[in-house]
Amino acid sequence: MEFRFNIVSDGSCDLPEQMTEENQIRVVHFLVSFDGETYQKEGIELKLDDFYQQMVDHPQRFPMTAAPSPEDYYQVFLDSARKGQDILCICISGKLSSSIQSAQIARQMLLEDYPDIHVEILDSLACTLMQGAFVLEACRLRNAGKTLTDAVTVMKALIPTGRILFTVGSLEYLQHGGRIGKVTSIAGSLLNVKPLITLENGEIHSSGIRRGRKNSLNGTIQLLTDYLKETHMTPGDYTILIGYGYDVKEADSFKKLALGKLREIYPDVPDIPVFHIGATIGVHAGPYSIGFGIVRRSDRI
């Protein structure tokens, strides 16, 4: 099928390879390192299962990531430009990464040789599964035959509707990444306190705490139901994805728990797919992060 524009995203979108191939989404991958010297492309040179296993096996080794380079973006843009196709590039929040700056440089490089190609760089103000949901809504618009200009207008209207609602297994990774103070991290570990966290408009906010893992999982689901009530919408009005780090069995149980609680309120809740949280966010949230990415459906605006 010939589309009016192509979709590119950085690897923070955390959509599985099969899905990106089926939806013709080009992904520009982040790099991840455990020693600060050797960097590998997440999901390609370093599979996510191996990434999380290393985190679990070596809890005192804190991995780090590097954003894609302008050249990485340029090569992907070039493929579309040679076919005469415009490009919508959706990036992780510029408040969290320099990825969007690399994309902007690559656009300028491309336009020197392909001045007629329209390249729209969009800051999703999102990351991980919220960004993934955002990318899937771009696919919905592209598949409906929208022009790039019309699609961007709708996508910008969707940005304020997006949220990540999640919890983590340990405060240590957030503390190491400078998201919380060391004293708070130590106190949280001693008290078995688990934070509830919301990402909104590209920034992380505390949404409360719970004692113990079970309570934090229930609290994360409560964040979702509270948001739906606040917006006077139903789950069917949103693209909702579940993301997890290391423990797929816990993710499956979390999904069943979430669907059960949602269906007590909304009988016609659609299925919620479960995806791996990638290394880009996993390095900050740790191996036991779990939660939701949510964005309003583009056909419900």
Side-chain angles (χ1 to χ4, degrees):
M1 180 178 180
E2 189 74 18
F3 297 118
R4 301 178 77 171
F5 60 91
N6 286 344
I7 295 173
V8 176
S9 178
D10 59 42
S12 170
C13 69
D14 291 346
L15 297 175
E17 184 177 1
Q18 181 179 350
M19 178 170 281
T20 59
E21 290 180 352
E22 289 174 352
N23 288 277
Q24 298 184 42
I25 303 163
R26 294 294 305 275
V27 177
V28 184
H29 293 278
F30 275 76
L31 302 173
V32 60
S33 175
F34 278 88
D35 60 12
E37 296 180 2
T38 303
Y39 283 83
Q40 298 173 289
K41 289 185 177 180
E42 63 156 339
I44 303 298
E45 298 169 335
L46 178 62
K47 298 299 183 182
L48 285 177
D49 286 341
D50 295 334
F51 166 75
Y52 280 114
Q53 193 63 57
Q54 287 195 53
M55 293 185 82
V56 170
D57 292 344
H58 306 283
Q60 298 307 312
R61 291 174 59 190
F62 293 94
M64 61 192 73
T65 59
S69 70
E71 181 63 23
D72 293 330
Y73 274 107
Y74 176 77
Q75 291 302 323
V76 172
F77 290 171
L78 188 59
D79 287 343
S80 291
R82 285 171 172 166
K83 300 172 185 176
Q85 293 175 310
D86 291 337
I87 302 163
L88 171 58
C89 179
I90 299 171
C91 296
I92 182 177
S93 170
K95 299 177 182 180
L96 301 175
S97 170
S98 62
S99 178
I100 192 169
Q101 297 173 15
S102 292
Q104 291 165 340
I105 293 170
R107 175 175 57 188
Q108 294 305 313
M109 293 165 59
L110 186 78
L111 294 180
E112 291 180 6
D113 294 322
Y114 296 89
D116 296 330
I117 297 298
H118 184 190
V119 182
E120 188 74 37
I121 310 293
L122 195 58
D123 187 339
S124 68
L125 291 179
C127 62
T128 189
L129 273 305
M130 175 181 160
Q131 183 179 340
F134 197 66
V135 171
L136 292 178
E137 288 310 310
C139 291
R140 191 192 304 275
L141 293 164
R142 178 202 62 189
N143 296 351
K146 300 293 185 182
T147 66
L148 177 56
T149 299
D150 288 344
V152 168
T153 298
V154 176
M155 295 300 292
K156 288 181 177 180
L158 292 180
I159 290 175
T161 73
R163 300 288 188 278
I164 297 175
L165 311 167
F166 72 107
T167 189
V168 297
S170 167
L171 293 167
E172 191 172 11
Y173 290 91
L174 290 170
Q175 186 270 324
H176 187 268
R179 301 299 179 183
I180 61 173
K182 186 174 182 180
V183 173
T184 303
S185 174
I186 294 172
S189 299
L190 293 174
L191 296 171
N192 194 26
V193 167
K194 310 297 181 184
L196 304 181
I197 302 168
T198 297
L199 186 141
E200 176 184 355
N201 290 323
E203 296 182 343
I204 291 175
H205 306 278
S206 172
S207 295
I209 57 174
R210 295 290 188 275
R211 181 72 62 85
R213 183 67 166 181
K214 181 178 179 180
N215 288 332
S216 69
L217 295 178
N218 279 297
T220 303
I221 297 169
Q222 185 67 50
L223 290 179
L224 176 59
T225 57
D226 286 348
Y227 180 60
L228 292 171
K229 291 175 183 177
E230 174 189 329
T231 58
H232 305 289
M233 294 288 177
T234 71
D237 294 314
Y238 289 88
T239 291
I240 303 175
L241 310 177
I242 289 174
Y244 74 98
Y246 174 73
D247 193 340
V248 65
K249 290 184 179 180
E250 183 182 57
D252 290 338
S253 297
F254 179 72
K255 172 179 175 175
K256 292 177 182 177
L257 181 65
L259 286 173
K261 289 183 177 295
L262 286 169
R263 285 170 178 162
E264 292 175 1
I265 308 170
Y266 310 97
D268 298 325
V269 174
D271 187 45
I272 304 176
V274 177
F275 299 136
H276 244 151
I277 295 171
T280 307
I281 302 304
V283 299
H284 301 291
Y288 296 104
S289 54
I290 192 167
F292 303 99
I294 176 172
V295 170
R296 184 85 55 83
R297 283 174 55 122
S298 57
D299 54 2
R300 304 296 173 88
I301 286 291

